[in-house]
C-alpha cells in the first residue's frame, strides 16, 4: 500500500477546570485532537506529528490545551 499526502493540519483539545479541581468539560485528549486534524483534510492518519501543551491559570480555574500538527495522509491501493 501507498498513501496520498493531503496537506498539513493542526487541531487542539482543551478542558476547563473551575476552582482548580472541579472539571467542567471532558478531559483533554491527544486522540481527539489527532482525529480532528485528520478529519479536517478527509484523511486516514497523521504522520510527522508534533504535540505540545499549554496551561492557563485564571482567577476562577485553569484551561489545559493540547495541540497537534502534522501531515494528513490517505491510504491508496498500489497499482
Amino acid at each position: 500500500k501507498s498513501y496520498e499526502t493531503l496537506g498539513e493540519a493542526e487541531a487542539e483539545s482543551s478542558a476547563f477546570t473551575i476552582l482548580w479541581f472541579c472539571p467542567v468539560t471532558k478531559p483533554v485528549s491527544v486522540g481527539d485532537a489527532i482525529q480532528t486534524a485528520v478529519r479536517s483534510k478527509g484523511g486516514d492518519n497523521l504522520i510527522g506529528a508534533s504535540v505540545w501543551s499549554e496551561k492557563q491559570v485564571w482567577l476562577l480555574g485553569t484551561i489545559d490545551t493540547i495541540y497537534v500538527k502534522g501531515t494528513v495522509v490517505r491510504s491508496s491501493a498500489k497499482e
Side-chain angles (χ1 to χ4, degrees):
K1 279 189 158 185
S2 61
Y3 61 87
E4 172 187 5
T5 301
L6 302 176
E8 293 288 316
E10 186 173 335
E12 64 186 57
S13 173
S14 60
F16 177 64
T17 304
I18 196 163
L19 301 177
W20 308 283
F21 65 88
C22 184
V24 176
T25 60
K26 67 179 190 170
V28 294
S29 168
V30 174
D32 287 349
I34 290 171
Q35 276 189 329
T36 301
V38 170
R39 286 182 189 155
S40 75
K41 297 285 185 179
D44 298 323
N45 215 333
L46 192 68
I47 61 173
S50 297
V51 179
W52 66 100
S53 64
E54 171 183 85
K55 183 180 202 98
Q56 297 178 16
V57 179
W58 297 89
L59 185 59
L60 293 177
T62 60
I63 300 172
D64 293 294
T65 307
I66 292 178
Y67 301 91
V68 298
K69 182 178 182 178
T71 303
V72 177
V73 296
R74 178 172 40 219
S75 298
S76 59
K78 193 170 185 178
E79 297 179 18

